[in-house]
Amino acid sequence: MAQDRWCLQPLLWFTLTTLFQCTPAVEHVPVLVWSTFGSLWNLEKKTHEGHIVKNEELQTFLKPIFNQGSQNVVLFLQNELSVEDFTQYGAENGDDETFGNVQQFLETSNSSLVLPAVDWRAIQYLMENLTWTEIHNDIDHEMELEMDPSKPNLIVVKLAPVDRMTNVKMAQSLSNNDKVIGETTNTLIRKGMQFSAIYTALRPSVVIRGSAEGMIHTGRRLMASDSTRPVPYPPVNVTNGTDTCILFHAASLQLKANGTLIDLTNETFISRSVDTDSSTCSTKNVTLSLKYSLQQSPSLSVKTLEIRFLMWNRFYNVSARHWFTLDFVEILQDEVNVAVFNVSSISAPHEYSFHCQLVGTSGLSGVVFIPANDAAGAWTITISEFQIQGFNVEDNRFAYASDCTSFFTRAIWMALITSLILLYILTFGIHMIMQLTTNDRFDDPKGQALIVPQTD
């Protein structure tokens, strides 16, 4: 029996990477489970390729680990994770260190389970319906993990948020979290405790594929269906008492203060713990206020945070219509320090919404936030799949979106210019061919030869 188990273990990681390559990250996250208990799952009962595990199925899969006598479960929870992360940064891409510990535990544990596609709402349900002891941890802070052997222990380890600004930073973030998983699991093994571990994330991630290092494409692309779509949670809506007056959505909302990454996506769109009561609405100007309390994150020096988006609605005589503009973005830290950013490229007809694939302080963004004071220089803002509407919101839905990328992108201009050059060459060639003429006289072999007189 033990020999059969060891023969099957190498298949687990192969199954993981193979299934991950074929499953798009849209509404689901991967779930990886390993346990010191043996024979918890039958390999034949695993999900087939392309199947998305719903809430009821996930409870069935996880039932064996919660039915054990000790019931020690450690949940390693990341802010976001996609199936593409394992192929882009894992062993399939030549990097054996990014997920080295996770791979080792899947191969060597007495029982292991790989679910490539689990509905992210099932993870949310799991978090809300069980009593977990939360531990915030990252690679720079030592974690004190204590378990009482006399009672069940359900512990969730909040891993550090991943940084998707570049491939190098993303790989480093995943590697650091893998080290935390390795250290925690090895500590429990050394203590001789029987336990089960789960590695997953709160939401699916947005993976930037096919881009060079440090490059983020913000314009139109051929085969656009291959690009990742926004994650499926609804937008933030602000009401003026009866009707919705502001809509805001993003696939990812991340700030960085003095090198410390602050991921606000979960608080804003999933758990909805963000406070929008300070937002204001009128026909002329709108302020979207997002307030966060970060008291539960001891690793952050920031305790309270407020982000403000200031929009105006003006009439322009040239176009003879009203346009809305987002002129400023402000960050208020701990109700003292205010960082102000100028925004010059966010505008649309007032009955439209505005969308951009990437906005922030990076020069590679489709819309760049320019620091307007000294305090703004300490902040980095990254918002992917940004969409906002502050005027004429109807039926609690976004109106037609004006995109940050103009129709004539650099690629289109290059194609047009190249086509014009080729057309000019073709026209010139046809013109030259049409100018060719034939001789008006020909030599008759039966008649007298033509004599061309030669003169000095």
Side-chain angles (χ1 to χ4, degrees):
M1 187 70 182
Q3 184 178 1
D4 293 340
R5 179 177 62 83
W6 282 104
C7 292
L8 290 172
Q9 292 300 340
L11 295 176
L12 289 171
W13 190 254
F14 174 78
T15 303
L16 174 69
T17 54
T18 302
L19 291 177
F20 280 8
Q21 286 179 329
C22 304
T23 311
V26 178
E27 297 186 3
H28 45 76
V29 295
V31 174
L32 285 64
V33 189
W34 59 92
S35 177
T36 57
F37 299 96
S39 303
L40 294 183
W41 298 283
N42 185 349
L43 289 176
E44 297 180 356
K45 294 183 179 180
K46 289 191 176 182
T47 60
H48 58 79
E49 183 176 323
H51 176 70
I52 299 178
V53 177
K54 300 298 183 180
N55 183 32
E56 294 77 9
E57 294 177 273
L58 180 63
Q59 294 182 46
T60 302
F61 278 116
L62 298 183
K63 187 176 180 179
I65 67 175
F66 291 108
N67 285 347
Q68 298 302 320
S70 61
Q71 204 183 80
N72 294 322
V73 179
V74 180
L75 173 61
F76 296 102
L77 194 62
Q78 204 163 270
N79 63 328
E80 59 183 43
L81 186 66
S82 73
V83 291
E84 283 88 349
D85 290 333
F86 288 88
T87 53
Q88 185 170 354
Y89 304 102
E92 287 293 311
N93 201 35
D95 190 349
D96 297 329
E97 296 183 358
T98 304
F99 295 102
N101 289 312
V102 174
Q103 178 180 357
Q104 179 184 356
F105 295 138
L106 287 174
E107 294 176 352
T108 60
S109 297
N110 293 332
S111 297
S112 59
L113 176 67
V114 173
L115 300 175
V118 176
D119 192 330
W120 67 276
R121 301 173 188 84
I123 305 301
Q124 193 73 17
Y125 180 87
L126 184 67
M127 291 293 298
E128 294 174 353
N129 289 271
L130 292 176
T131 304
W132 298 90
T133 301
E134 291 191 8
I135 298 178
H136 295 269
N137 187 39
D138 55 55
I139 194 64
D140 299 323
H141 297 81
E142 184 177 357
M143 178 181 60
E144 296 181 0
L145 183 61
E146 298 293 339
M147 286 189 176
D148 187 352
S150 62
K151 65 178 183 179
N153 298 278
L154 301 180
I155 297 177
V156 54
V157 179
K158 291 290 188 68
L159 299 174
V162 294
D163 187 350
R164 293 189 179 272
M165 284 297 296
T166 64
N167 286 340
V168 173
K169 291 183 178 179
M170 181 61 188
Q172 185 62 45
S173 299
L174 292 173
S175 179
N176 289 342
N177 287 342
D178 182 73
K179 291 178 182 178
V180 172
I181 294 173
E183 292 175 359
T184 305
T185 303
N186 288 327
T187 299
L188 295 176
I189 293 175
R190 285 194 301 267
K191 291 182 177 181
M193 302 191 67
Q194 296 290 320
F195 69 96
S196 300
I198 305 172
Y199 176 38
T200 187
L202 278 172
R203 65 179 188 273
S205 58
V206 177
V207 179
I208 301 172
R209 289 184 263 180
S211 59
E213 179 62 37
M215 294 294 293
I216 301 176
H217 300 287
T218 57
R220 291 180 174 85
R221 297 187 299 277
L222 294 177
M223 301 299 291
S225 59
D226 183 60
S227 61
T228 54
R229 290 176 287 175
V231 286
Y233 35 74
V236 172
N237 61 79
V238 177
T239 60
N240 56 7
T242 56
D243 301 322
T244 300
C245 58
I246 304 175
L247 289 176
F248 170 64
H249 181 271
S252 175
L253 174 57
Q254 294 183 341
L255 306 180
K256 184 177 288 186
N258 297 318
T260 302
L261 183 66
I262 306 174
D263 193 320
L264 301 173
T265 311
N266 178 61
E267 290 83 352
T268 308
F269 301 105
I270 300 179
S271 65
R272 300 280 174 163
S273 59
V274 62
D275 180 9
T276 61
D277 292 342
S278 298
S279 302
T280 59
C281 297
S282 70
T283 57
K284 293 184 177 181
N285 57 74
V286 165
T287 299
L288 172 61
S289 173
L290 306 175
K291 288 185 178 181
Y292 305 90
S293 177
L294 306 177
Q295 304 287 346
Q296 297 180 352
S297 301
S299 60
L300 298 178
S301 58
V302 181
K303 301 307 177 185
T304 61
L305 195 65
E306 181 182 2
I307 305 176
R308 301 174 186 151
F309 298 90
L310 284 70
M311 293 173 281
W312 278 264
N313 183 20
R314 303 182 180 94
F315 181 81
Y316 291 86
N317 294 325
V318 175
S319 60
R321 68 188 305 177
H322 284 85
W323 289 69
F324 88 84
T325 58
L326 196 160
D327 295 338
F328 300 99
V329 174
E330 298 178 350
I331 300 178
L332 179 60
Q333 175 188 346
D334 297 327
E335 300 182 356
V336 177
N337 301 320
V338 180
V340 181
F341 298 86
N342 290 326
V343 185
S344 59
S345 303
I346 295 183
S347 63
H350 77 297
E351 66 270 18
Y352 288 1
S353 65
F354 178 86
H355 172 269
C356 194
Q357 185 181 2
L358 186 69
V359 302
T361 53
S362 171
L364 301 174
S365 303
V367 174
V368 180
F369 296 165
I370 303 173
N373 60 0
D374 294 337
W379 290 91
T380 300
I381 305 175
T382 305
I383 308 176
S384 61
E385 298 297 343
F386 173 86
Q387 187 168 6
I388 194 168
Q389 183 174 353
F391 303 93
N392 289 17
V393 178
E394 297 180 358
D395 299 328
N396 201 29
R397 299 175 61 183
F398 281 111
Y400 176 84
S402 175
D403 201 87
C404 62
T405 304
S406 61
F407 180 78
F408 286 96
T409 62
R410 286 177 292 180
I412 295 177
W413 278 115
M414 291 175 62
L416 288 175
I417 293 174
T418 303
S419 300
L420 290 175
I421 294 174
L422 294 176
L423 182 61
Y424 172 78
I425 295 174
L426 178 62
T427 304
F428 179 78
I430 294 175
H431 176 74
M432 295 300 294
I433 292 175
M434 294 177 63
Q435 296 301 314
L436 293 177
T437 59
T438 60
N439 296 330
D440 56 352
R441 296 181 61 189
F442 296 92
D443 189 11
D444 186 1
K446 295 183 179 181
Q448 187 177 0
L450 291 177
I451 300 175
V452 179
Q454 296 181 353
T455 58
D456 295 337

